[in-house]
């Protein structure tokens, strides 16, 4: 079977073209993407103008903002992230943000998205929680009705602000019938930010039937993953790539079948790995770790979900089987109802068969 790195000339170009069209056409699930980090410059300018919010570089329009989206450290990244968060103030802002992001996802044939949202970031800025939840629900409804894309929500707690955990859970439970499926943990990760203070909140979330999908093993290594596994009972882990620093931990993730949401361009942009080609995704697969491919904060990392697939094709020489396998993994690891999973997996197989002469 040919792949993108085989040979040269017309054959490999043909195979790249056909892989590109397979990547675009496959109906997909996206399991790790943040609402606040998905606001493209055009949408950010519109939202900021509406509320008179100053965004870095915005005096030079879309180009200036695009430049501000290129940052040098996790701290700088957080600054842009917080500025984007501040554009969301009233119900229609949340609704328009969700719908605008949904348009970009639908254009990539994403059919199911588990989107992370940090409610307390907004509430502590004075946003009315009822207006915020109403806006999210309205955007989600419009996305489903007009674009056929379904949103489920992961409400997350900032790891360095564990005191916001109980209220985050309370909001998640309040918005359960609007599609909240899980509680997450995001923000800075390091030895000084233990998840011990969040253990009780996650225990209550579990008792209420919410899943746990924390970030861990991104900016900090095995100790963070160990603690997360022991205290938060994760259904999946955001990133988790630094498990490879501890072979036993890697084997445990593989044996327990706890999937990782791997976001390679995010890891490159935030300095977790030196380059896309050096990303340890192939080592994780070789170790038997379950994983899906995701985009995290796509415009901030100069990527999209389909671009992540394309970059894997070019960096790791993936062929159509591997593309399909990874796309199917996202569906299998998702919190979709089982009958819908089966339908989406079948749709993926038939698109792949039509595109790539797969059996
Ligand atoms: N919030 C948004 N993106 C994040 C990331 N890559 N790590 C932790 N928290 C985040
Ligand atoms: Zn993330």
């Amino acid at each position: 079977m040919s792949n993108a790195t085989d040979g040269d000339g017309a054959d490999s170009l043909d195979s790249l073209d056909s892989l590109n069209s397979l990547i675009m056409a496959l109906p997909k699930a996206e399991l790790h993407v943040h609402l606040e980090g998905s606001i493209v410059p055009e949408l950010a300018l519109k939202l900021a103008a509406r509320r008179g919010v100053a965004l870095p570089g915005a005096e030079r329009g879309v180009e200036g903002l695009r430049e501000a989206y290129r940052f040098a450290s996790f701290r700088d990244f957080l600054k842009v992230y917080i500025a984007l968060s501040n554009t969301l103030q009233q119900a229609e802002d949340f609704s328009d943000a969700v719908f605008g992001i949904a348009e970009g996802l639908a254009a990539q044939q994403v059919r199911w998205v588990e989107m992370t949202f940090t409610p307390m970031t907004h509430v502590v800025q004075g946003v009315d929680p009822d207006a915020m939840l109403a806006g999210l629900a309205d955007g989600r409804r419009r996305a489903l009705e007009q674009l056929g894309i379904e949103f489920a929500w992961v409400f997350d707690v900032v790891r360095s602000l564990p005191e916001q955990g109980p209220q985050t859970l309370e909001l998640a439970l309040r918005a359960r019938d609007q599609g909240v499926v899980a509680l997450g943990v995001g923000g800075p990760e390091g030895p000084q930010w233990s998840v011990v203070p969040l253990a009780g909140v996650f225990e209550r979330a579990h008792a209420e039937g919410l899943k746990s999908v924390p970030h861990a093993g991104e900016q900090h290594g095995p100790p963070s993953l160990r603690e997360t596994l022991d205290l938060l009972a994760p259904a999946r882990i955001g990133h988790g790539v630094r498990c490879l620093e501890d072979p036993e931990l890697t084997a445990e993730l593989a044996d327990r079948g706890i999937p990782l949401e791997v976001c390679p361009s995010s890891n490159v942009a935030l300095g977790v790995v030196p380059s896309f080609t050096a990303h340890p995704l192939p080592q994780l697969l070789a170790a038997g770790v379950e994983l899906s491919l995701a985009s995290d904060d796509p415009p901030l990392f100069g990527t999209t979900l389909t671009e992540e697939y394309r970059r894997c094709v070019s960096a790791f020489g993936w062929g159509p089987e591997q593309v399909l396998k990874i796309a199917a993994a996202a569906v299998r690891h998702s919190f979709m109802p089982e009958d819908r999973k089966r339908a989406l997996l079948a749709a993926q197989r038939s698109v792949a068969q039509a595109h790539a002469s797969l059996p």
Side-chain angles (χ1 to χ4, degrees), residues 48-213:
R50 186 189 277 170
R51 302 291 165 220
V53 171
L55 289 173
E59 63 287 349
R60 283 178 293 113
V62 169
E63 254 329 297
L65 199 51
R66 213 164 266 145
E67 261 167 50
Y69 276 26
R70 291 184 214 119
F71 39 81
S73 66
F74 192 75
R75 276 174 76 92
D76 287 349
F77 158 71
L78 283 183
K79 276 191 206 151
V80 181
Y81 198 85
I82 288 165
L84 288 173
S85 299
N86 291 340
T87 65
L88 304 173
Q89 299 181 7
Q90 298 188 21
E92 74 172 320
D93 309 334
F94 290 93
S95 175
D96 289 350
V98 172
F99 190 78
I101 293 165
E103 286 180 313
L105 291 170
Q108 300 175 71
Q109 299 301 326
V110 173
R111 298 284 162 77
W112 172 270
V113 53
E114 291 174 19
M115 180 161 277
T116 297
F117 174 70
T118 316
M120 290 308 295
T121 299
H122 309 281
V123 172
V124 297
Q125 292 298 320
V127 170
D128 171 22
D130 290 329
M132 176 179 78
L133 297 182
L136 293 180
D138 187 61
R140 176 176 183 258
R141 178 191 54 76
R142 288 197 287 145
L144 182 61
E145 285 175 9
Q146 295 177 41
L147 304 167
I149 174 168
E150 186 150 11
F151 277 66
W153 299 110
V154 178
F155 278 13
D156 80 336
V157 188
V158 177
R159 189 183 291 262
S160 52
L161 302 169
E163 65 280 8
Q164 295 180 349
Q167 222 181 321
T168 306
L169 173 59
E170 192 258 307
L171 289 164
L173 294 175
R174 217 198 296 174
R176 239 178 141 157
D177 59 356
Q178 298 168 20
V180 176
V181 291
L183 203 62
V185 181
E189 185 188 13
Q192 66 275 50
W193 294 299
S194 164
V195 291
V196 167
L198 286 172
V201 169
F202 273 75
E203 210 172 297
R204 275 192 283 136
H206 275 119
E208 292 282 356
L210 289 179
K211 309 279 191 193
S212 158
V213 285

Side-chain angles (χ1 to χ4, degrees), residues 32 34 36-37 74 77-78 81 116 118 156 185-189 215 218-219 239 263 266-267 270 296-297 300-301:
H32 189 121
H34 297 257
E36 296 89 338
F74 192 75
F77 158 71
L78 283 183
Y81 198 85
T116 297
T118 316
D156 80 336
V185 181
E189 185 188 13
H215 290 63
E218 179 200 23
Q219 302 152 65
H239 301 288
C263 312
S266 161
N267 294 156
L270 295 176
D296 208 7
D297 305 290
L300 290 165
F301 303 138

